[in-house]
Amino acid sequence: MSFSQRLLTARPPSLLCRAVLRRGLQTSLSCCKAGHYKITPKGDRPLTYEQAHPPYRVGVTKGWNSWNTSTLMDPGQKYAAIDTTTEDEFIRNFIFGTWQKMWLSEVLIKRKHNTIVIAGIVCPLPNTSTMHFLIGYTEELLSHFLKWNIKVEVQAVESKKVVTFKHI
């Protein structure tokens, strides 16, 4: 008796479970709509320039959100891509957790030699000393955690409407 037959006879599985066990694992098609935003009935969802273009247009009409030139010097690093991806995800989560809905654009991460530059658009604060504190706090903690030189470049705009490219 095969493994799938034993699973089917052990307890009555759901209809979907039976179909998967009989036919095998099903994967999605390559023409998926991953990264595409759904159109709302009212057309009131604001999209930035980065979000308005589909993922297959990266490198044509929009740039990458992570620029990595750190492995050009030492191509023999075995796990450089894994470390870079993990660090980028940690940086994005840290930025969105620290800046609490003030970061209006995508987090752009540029790596050059031993420096990471984090760039983006933020909404201004009534107190500029708070903005300078957040920049310094982000640079110090990330440089301590990641052991890299960190530089945060932000541009303040008056409202989210300035960042909106189109509505869908």
Side-chain angles (χ1 to χ4, degrees):
M1 187 182 266
S2 70
F3 179 71
S4 61
Q5 290 173 343
R6 278 187 279 155
L7 279 177
L8 286 173
T9 57
R11 63 182 175 99
S14 66
L15 184 62
L16 178 64
C17 183
R18 272 189 243 148
V20 168
L21 288 174
R22 285 189 186 137
R23 294 184 190 157
L25 181 64
Q26 238 177 346
T27 59
S28 61
L29 297 173
S30 62
C31 60
C32 284
K33 296 249 180 184
H36 294 266
Y37 291 89
K38 290 184 180 179
I39 298 172
T40 58
K42 295 180 182 178
D44 57 350
R45 176 182 288 167
L47 293 180
T48 62
Y49 182 79
E50 296 271 331
Q51 296 169 337
H53 293 289
Y56 61 86
R57 300 293 292 178
V58 170
V60 179
T61 58
K62 72 176 197 173
W64 300 95
N65 287 339
S66 294
W67 292 88
N68 180 19
T69 59
S70 62
T71 57
L72 295 179
M73 294 296 289
D74 187 16
Q77 285 182 326
K78 193 172 183 181
Y79 301 108
I82 297 170
D83 294 340
T84 303
T85 306
T86 306
E87 287 174 357
D88 286 355
E89 190 62 31
F90 176 75
I91 289 170
R92 285 190 175 90
N93 288 337
F94 184 85
I95 291 290
F96 286 125
T98 303
W99 289 77
Q100 294 284 326
K101 298 192 180 194
M102 292 185 302
W103 205 273
L104 300 177
S105 68
E106 299 287 326
V107 177
L108 301 176
I109 301 170
K110 302 173 190 173
R111 295 171 181 265
K112 202 184 304 182
H113 302 296
N114 65 341
T115 305
I116 298 176
V117 179
I118 303 168
I121 300 172
V122 297
C123 59
L125 295 171
N127 190 358
T128 57
S129 62
T130 307
M131 178 88 71
H132 292 296
F133 169 76
L134 282 174
I135 292 171
Y137 177 80
T138 304
E139 288 176 353
E140 284 295 318
L141 279 181
L142 284 177
S143 63
H144 178 72
F145 290 147
L146 300 176
K147 308 291 189 244
W148 287 73
N149 296 330
I150 306 289
K151 184 172 184 198
V152 178
E153 296 175 354
V154 295
Q155 181 178 359
V157 295
E158 58 269 1
S159 69
K160 189 170 176 81
K161 292 178 183 177
V162 174
V163 182
T164 302
F165 180 69
K166 72 177 186 179
H167 292 276
I168 61 166

